[in-house]
Amino acid sequence: MSLPPSEVPQGAIRFNTDSQRLEFYAQGEWWVMSTDTPNLASAGDPTPGPRGLFGGGQLTGPNAISDVIDYVNISSAGNAIDFGNLTVARRWVTGAVASRTRGVWAGGFTPSINDTIDFVTIASTGNATDFGNQLDSKATYGGCSNETRGVFGGGNPEASSSKTDGIDYITIASTGNSLDFGNLAAATASLCATAGQVRGLFFGGYTPTVLRTIQFVTIATTGNAQNFGDLARTNGQEGQACANATRGICSGGTGPSPCTDIEYVNIASTGNGNKFGDLITAGTSTMGAVSSPTRGLISTDDTNQDDIEMIEIATEGNAVDFGDLSAARDIGSGCSNAHGGL
């Protein structure tokens, strides 16, 4: 019989039969053992456990664009804390990506479409640093990543009056401009994305028809997206996505009205979305979602535009309150150092 989480000793090691990898236990989470995994169990090690960051967005009030980055410790419910600032204040920066070390935001709207890519070191706090520029500057895209690559798909580009089907990518550990990866099935904006270690998934969007489509790419290669299945709901525009290593979550969205639905898929297979539960508050055009191997945190559009809700990814059910953002805002995005692609 396995021990409940409260009784697992710090530094415990197990073999995960699903991922076929060794893991160790630290700060309330199981971490994959590898040469680049932080030694979280070491006494006095300043490296944090699972940390979620939220960056950019639209503050309340006309033309109030935010450069705020704030963070939460995913293992412990509570309000977000100031982390630093993006290099450029922007909204509609909707697809942040991350490795275990870095968080990266790309594109957005400043109030014109922007091609900036900037990054932070997740374990510390401080302002973002310039990374490079997008191949085609865009906003309202979906972003996903594994430890090596960040992938950005769709969006509203500067080079077009409408939407793009373009997918571009970066190597997270380096700096430089994004490169061509392939194409989505159709020119799509207002979609969301998440990933396992092998696949990146793109959910829904707007073409201008609201989509229920789920598409996937193999992150380590380049090429066009392939069909995965469909969301069960019709509200596929402007949702939020997060994942652990096996299960992808898509929540909220609109089209024609905001919804509270949460769905899940098994990343390694293909198929349609399955009902998971419901958000407390409908979530659309929010600050996105972040995750650890066990939890998903989802920002939602409560009255104050600052709410963060929580789910346990392995167990279907409704979201519960986690805390609040440090600055009320929406249409930004979040990333974490413990998501399903790592």
mmCIF file of all heavy atoms in Angstrom, residues 82-109:
data_model
loop_
_atom_site.group_PDB
_atom_site.id
_atom_site.type_symbol
_atom_site.label_atom_id
_atom_site.label_comp_id
_atom_site.label_asym_id
_atom_site.label_seq_id
_atom_site.Cartn_x
_atom_site.Cartn_y
_atom_site.Cartn_z
ATOM 1 N N ASP A 82 4.572 39.089 -6.219
ATOM 2 C CA ASP A 82 5.276 39.777 -7.302
ATOM 3 C C ASP A 82 6.580 39.070 -7.637
ATOM 4 O O ASP A 82 7.354 38.695 -6.754
ATOM 5 C CB ASP A 82 5.562 41.228 -6.906
ATOM 6 C CG ASP A 82 6.266 41.990 -8.016
ATOM 7 O OD1 ASP A 82 5.676 42.137 -9.101
ATOM 8 O OD2 ASP A 82 7.424 42.413 -7.804
ATOM 9 N N PHE A 83 6.838 38.871 -8.930
ATOM 10 C CA PHE A 83 8.064 38.232 -9.413
ATOM 11 C C PHE A 83 8.979 39.250 -10.094
ATOM 12 O O PHE A 83 10.173 39.268 -9.872
ATOM 13 C CB PHE A 83 7.698 37.118 -10.405
ATOM 14 C CG PHE A 83 8.864 36.310 -10.899
ATOM 15 C CD1 PHE A 83 9.167 35.078 -10.336
ATOM 16 C CD2 PHE A 83 9.662 36.764 -11.949
ATOM 17 C CE1 PHE A 83 10.249 34.321 -10.784
ATOM 18 C CE2 PHE A 83 10.746 36.015 -12.405
ATOM 19 C CZ PHE A 83 11.040 34.795 -11.818
ATOM 20 N N GLY A 84 8.401 40.090 -10.939
ATOM 21 C CA GLY A 84 9.173 41.068 -11.696
ATOM 22 C C GLY A 84 8.335 41.606 -12.831
ATOM 23 O O GLY A 84 7.109 41.680 -12.733
ATOM 24 N N ASN A 85 8.983 41.972 -13.934
ATOM 25 C CA ASN A 85 8.274 42.591 -15.053
ATOM 26 C C ASN A 85 8.806 42.076 -16.388
ATOM 27 O O ASN A 85 9.989 41.776 -16.529
ATOM 28 C CB ASN A 85 8.429 44.115 -15.018
ATOM 29 C CG ASN A 85 7.891 44.714 -13.734
ATOM 30 O OD1 ASN A 85 8.640 44.922 -12.787
ATOM 31 N ND2 ASN A 85 6.603 44.978 -13.706
ATOM 32 N N LEU A 86 7.920 41.977 -17.377
ATOM 33 C CA LEU A 86 8.315 41.688 -18.746
ATOM 34 C C LEU A 86 9.144 42.843 -19.300
ATOM 35 O O LEU A 86 9.087 43.960 -18.798
ATOM 36 C CB LEU A 86 7.078 41.479 -19.620
ATOM 37 C CG LEU A 86 6.168 40.299 -19.274
ATOM 38 C CD1 LEU A 86 4.896 40.358 -20.123
ATOM 39 C CD2 LEU A 86 6.888 38.973 -19.473
ATOM 40 N N THR A 87 9.907 42.600 -20.366
ATOM 41 C CA THR A 87 10.682 43.673 -20.982
ATOM 42 C C THR A 87 9.781 44.685 -21.675
ATOM 43 O O THR A 87 10.143 45.857 -21.798
ATOM 44 C CB THR A 87 11.682 43.113 -22.013
ATOM 45 O OG1 THR A 87 10.957 42.420 -23.047
ATOM 46 C CG2 THR A 87 12.668 42.160 -21.364
ATOM 47 N N VAL A 88 8.608 44.220 -22.127
ATOM 48 C CA VAL A 88 7.634 45.087 -22.797
ATOM 49 C C VAL A 88 6.254 44.743 -22.249
ATOM 50 O O VAL A 88 5.862 43.578 -22.230
ATOM 51 C CB VAL A 88 7.637 44.872 -24.325
ATOM 52 C CG1 VAL A 88 6.582 45.743 -25.000
ATOM 53 C CG2 VAL A 88 9.017 45.153 -24.914
ATOM 54 N N ALA A 89 5.513 45.747 -21.795
ATOM 55 C CA ALA A 89 4.139 45.520 -21.348
ATOM 56 C C ALA A 89 3.288 45.120 -22.545
ATOM 57 O O ALA A 89 3.333 45.777 -23.595
ATOM 58 C CB ALA A 89 3.587 46.786 -20.696
ATOM 59 N N ARG A 90 2.518 44.027 -22.419
ATOM 60 C CA ARG A 90 1.676 43.619 -23.533
ATOM 61 C C ARG A 90 0.545 42.704 -23.054
ATOM 62 O O ARG A 90 0.684 41.996 -22.063
ATOM 63 C CB ARG A 90 2.490 42.947 -24.632
ATOM 64 C CG ARG A 90 3.391 41.815 -24.199
ATOM 65 C CD ARG A 90 4.539 41.704 -25.213
ATOM 66 N NE ARG A 90 5.234 40.432 -25.183
ATOM 67 C CZ ARG A 90 6.299 40.192 -24.415
ATOM 68 N NH1 ARG A 90 6.757 41.126 -23.589
ATOM 69 N NH2 ARG A 90 6.911 39.016 -24.466
ATOM 70 N N ARG A 91 -0.541 42.741 -23.792
ATOM 71 C CA ARG A 91 -1.690 41.867 -23.569
ATOM 72 C C ARG A 91 -1.798 40.895 -24.738
ATOM 73 O O ARG A 91 -1.030 40.991 -25.701
ATOM 74 C CB ARG A 91 -2.970 42.696 -23.451
ATOM 75 C CG ARG A 91 -3.253 43.537 -24.680
ATOM 76 C CD ARG A 91 -4.450 44.446 -24.482
ATOM 77 N NE ARG A 91 -4.635 45.320 -25.626
ATOM 78 C CZ ARG A 91 -5.598 46.227 -25.731
ATOM 79 N NH1 ARG A 91 -6.466 46.368 -24.755
ATOM 80 N NH2 ARG A 91 -5.706 46.984 -26.800
ATOM 81 N N TRP A 92 -2.747 39.973 -24.657
ATOM 82 C CA TRP A 92 -2.916 38.925 -25.668
ATOM 83 C C TRP A 92 -1.604 38.153 -25.884
ATOM 84 O O TRP A 92 -1.355 37.653 -26.979
ATOM 85 C CB TRP A 92 -3.437 39.493 -26.997
ATOM 86 C CG TRP A 92 -4.824 40.047 -26.928
ATOM 87 C CD1 TRP A 92 -5.198 41.338 -27.126
ATOM 88 C CD2 TRP A 92 -6.040 39.329 -26.649
ATOM 89 N NE1 TRP A 92 -6.553 41.477 -26.977
ATOM 90 C CE2 TRP A 92 -7.096 40.262 -26.684
ATOM 91 C CE3 TRP A 92 -6.328 37.991 -26.351
ATOM 92 C CZ2 TRP A 92 -8.416 39.912 -26.438
ATOM 93 C CZ3 TRP A 92 -7.652 37.649 -26.115
ATOM 94 C CH2 TRP A 92 -8.677 38.597 -26.164
ATOM 95 N N VAL A 93 -0.779 38.089 -24.838
ATOM 96 C CA VAL A 93 0.443 37.277 -24.885
ATOM 97 C C VAL A 93 0.065 35.924 -24.264
ATOM 98 O O VAL A 93 0.321 35.640 -23.108
ATOM 99 C CB VAL A 93 1.622 37.989 -24.176
ATOM 100 C CG1 VAL A 93 1.258 38.453 -22.791
ATOM 101 C CG2 VAL A 93 2.867 37.132 -24.182
ATOM 102 N N THR A 94 -0.617 35.098 -25.072
ATOM 103 C CA THR A 94 -1.480 34.042 -24.539
ATOM 104 C C THR A 94 -0.870 32.649 -24.511
ATOM 105 O O THR A 94 -1.566 31.686 -24.181
ATOM 106 C CB THR A 94 -2.769 33.981 -25.370
ATOM 107 O OG1 THR A 94 -2.435 33.897 -26.773
ATOM 108 C CG2 THR A 94 -3.617 35.230 -25.147
ATOM 109 N N GLY A 95 0.419 32.487 -24.841
ATOM 110 C CA GLY A 95 0.960 31.132 -24.924
ATOM 111 C C GLY A 95 2.344 30.996 -24.338
ATOM 112 O O GLY A 95 3.270 30.536 -25.021
ATOM 113 N N ALA A 96 2.545 31.391 -23.072
ATOM 114 C CA ALA A 96 3.853 31.254 -22.439
ATOM 115 C C ALA A 96 4.271 29.783 -22.389
ATOM 116 O O ALA A 96 3.439 28.881 -22.286
ATOM 117 C CB ALA A 96 3.820 31.833 -21.030
ATOM 118 N N VAL A 97 5.592 29.540 -22.464
ATOM 119 C CA VAL A 97 6.141 28.184 -22.426
ATOM 120 C C VAL A 97 7.259 28.149 -21.383
ATOM 121 O O VAL A 97 7.770 29.189 -20.964
ATOM 122 C CB VAL A 97 6.679 27.739 -23.801
ATOM 123 C CG1 VAL A 97 5.552 27.727 -24.832
ATOM 124 C CG2 VAL A 97 7.822 28.642 -24.273
ATOM 125 N N ALA A 98 7.674 26.922 -20.992
ATOM 126 C CA ALA A 98 8.702 26.825 -19.959
ATOM 127 C C ALA A 98 9.428 25.495 -19.997
ATOM 128 O O ALA A 98 8.866 24.460 -20.391
ATOM 129 C CB ALA A 98 8.087 27.021 -18.573
ATOM 130 N N SER A 99 10.683 25.518 -19.567
ATOM 131 C CA SER A 99 11.445 24.334 -19.185
ATOM 132 C C SER A 99 11.459 24.284 -17.663
ATOM 133 O O SER A 99 10.761 25.058 -17.004
ATOM 134 C CB SER A 99 12.875 24.436 -19.727
ATOM 135 O OG SER A 99 13.565 25.518 -19.101
ATOM 136 N N ARG A 100 12.247 23.404 -17.073
ATOM 137 C CA ARG A 100 12.364 23.397 -15.623
ATOM 138 C C ARG A 100 13.063 24.650 -15.103
ATOM 139 O O ARG A 100 12.934 25.009 -13.939
ATOM 140 C CB ARG A 100 13.144 22.165 -15.153
ATOM 141 C CG ARG A 100 12.461 20.837 -15.411
ATOM 142 C CD ARG A 100 13.234 19.693 -14.768
ATOM 143 N NE ARG A 100 12.646 18.402 -15.121
ATOM 144 C CZ ARG A 100 13.042 17.648 -16.134
ATOM 145 N NH1 ARG A 100 14.040 18.058 -16.898
ATOM 146 N NH2 ARG A 100 12.460 16.496 -16.388
ATOM 147 N N THR A 101 13.790 25.312 -15.992
ATOM 148 C CA THR A 101 14.624 26.440 -15.587
ATOM 149 C C THR A 101 14.061 27.782 -16.008
ATOM 150 O O THR A 101 14.048 28.733 -15.218
ATOM 151 C CB THR A 101 16.033 26.290 -16.199
ATOM 152 O OG1 THR A 101 16.553 25.015 -15.867
ATOM 153 C CG2 THR A 101 16.966 27.364 -15.676
ATOM 154 N N ARG A 102 13.583 27.880 -17.245
ATOM 155 C CA ARG A 102 13.170 29.153 -17.814
ATOM 156 C C ARG A 102 11.681 29.215 -18.120
ATOM 157 O O ARG A 102 11.094 28.233 -18.566
ATOM 158 C CB ARG A 102 13.911 29.407 -19.130
ATOM 159 C CG ARG A 102 15.351 29.839 -19.002
ATOM 160 C CD ARG A 102 15.938 30.105 -20.379
ATOM 161 N NE ARG A 102 17.254 30.733 -20.288
ATOM 162 C CZ ARG A 102 17.989 31.092 -21.327
ATOM 163 N NH1 ARG A 102 17.522 30.888 -22.563
ATOM 164 N NH2 ARG A 102 19.167 31.654 -21.166
ATOM 165 N N GLY A 103 11.108 30.402 -17.964
ATOM 166 C CA GLY A 103 9.785 30.725 -18.466
ATOM 167 C C GLY A 103 9.909 31.745 -19.575
ATOM 168 O O GLY A 103 10.694 32.700 -19.461
ATOM 169 N N VAL A 104 9.153 31.565 -20.667
ATOM 170 C CA VAL A 104 9.295 32.396 -21.866
ATOM 171 C C VAL A 104 7.926 32.907 -22.317
ATOM 172 O O VAL A 104 6.973 32.128 -22.443
ATOM 173 C CB VAL A 104 9.940 31.600 -23.026
ATOM 174 C CG1 VAL A 104 10.142 32.492 -24.249
ATOM 175 C CG2 VAL A 104 11.269 30.977 -22.595
ATOM 176 N N TRP A 105 7.852 34.224 -22.588
ATOM 177 C CA TRP A 105 6.651 34.833 -23.175
ATOM 178 C C TRP A 105 7.007 35.366 -24.556
ATOM 179 O O TRP A 105 8.098 35.908 -24.754
ATOM 180 C CB TRP A 105 6.148 35.985 -22.301
ATOM 181 C CG TRP A 105 5.451 35.543 -21.063
ATOM 182 C CD1 TRP A 105 4.106 35.398 -20.858
ATOM 183 C CD2 TRP A 105 6.076 35.182 -19.812
ATOM 184 N NE1 TRP A 105 3.854 34.959 -19.578
ATOM 185 C CE2 TRP A 105 5.043 34.824 -18.911
ATOM 186 C CE3 TRP A 105 7.390 35.124 -19.368
ATOM 187 C CZ2 TRP A 105 5.290 34.414 -17.609
ATOM 188 C CZ3 TRP A 105 7.644 34.711 -18.074
ATOM 189 C CH2 TRP A 105 6.600 34.361 -17.209
ATOM 190 N N ALA A 106 6.091 35.237 -25.506
ATOM 191 C CA ALA A 106 6.359 35.651 -26.882
ATOM 192 C C ALA A 106 5.180 36.443 -27.437
ATOM 193 O O ALA A 106 4.021 36.153 -27.131
ATOM 194 C CB ALA A 106 6.629 34.433 -27.763
ATOM 195 N N GLY A 107 5.485 37.433 -28.272
ATOM 196 C CA GLY A 107 4.448 38.174 -28.983
ATOM 197 C C GLY A 107 3.541 38.968 -28.075
ATOM 198 O O GLY A 107 3.913 39.410 -26.999
ATOM 199 N N GLY A 108 2.306 39.151 -28.531
ATOM 200 C CA GLY A 108 1.323 39.934 -27.796
ATOM 201 C C GLY A 108 0.959 41.213 -28.516
ATOM 202 O O GLY A 108 1.283 41.416 -29.700
ATOM 203 N N PHE A 109 0.323 42.102 -27.777
ATOM 204 C CA PHE A 109 -0.244 43.323 -28.350
ATOM 205 C C PHE A 109 0.129 44.487 -27.439
ATOM 206 O O PHE A 109 -0.094 44.421 -26.233
ATOM 207 C CB PHE A 109 -1.759 43.177 -28.441
ATOM 208 C CG PHE A 109 -2.445 44.281 -29.194
ATOM 209 C CD1 PHE A 109 -2.508 44.258 -30.586
ATOM 210 C CD2 PHE A 109 -3.050 45.328 -28.524
ATOM 211 C CE1 PHE A 109 -3.148 45.272 -31.290
ATOM 212 C CE2 PHE A 109 -3.696 46.342 -29.212
ATOM 213 C CZ PHE A 109 -3.749 46.315 -30.604
#
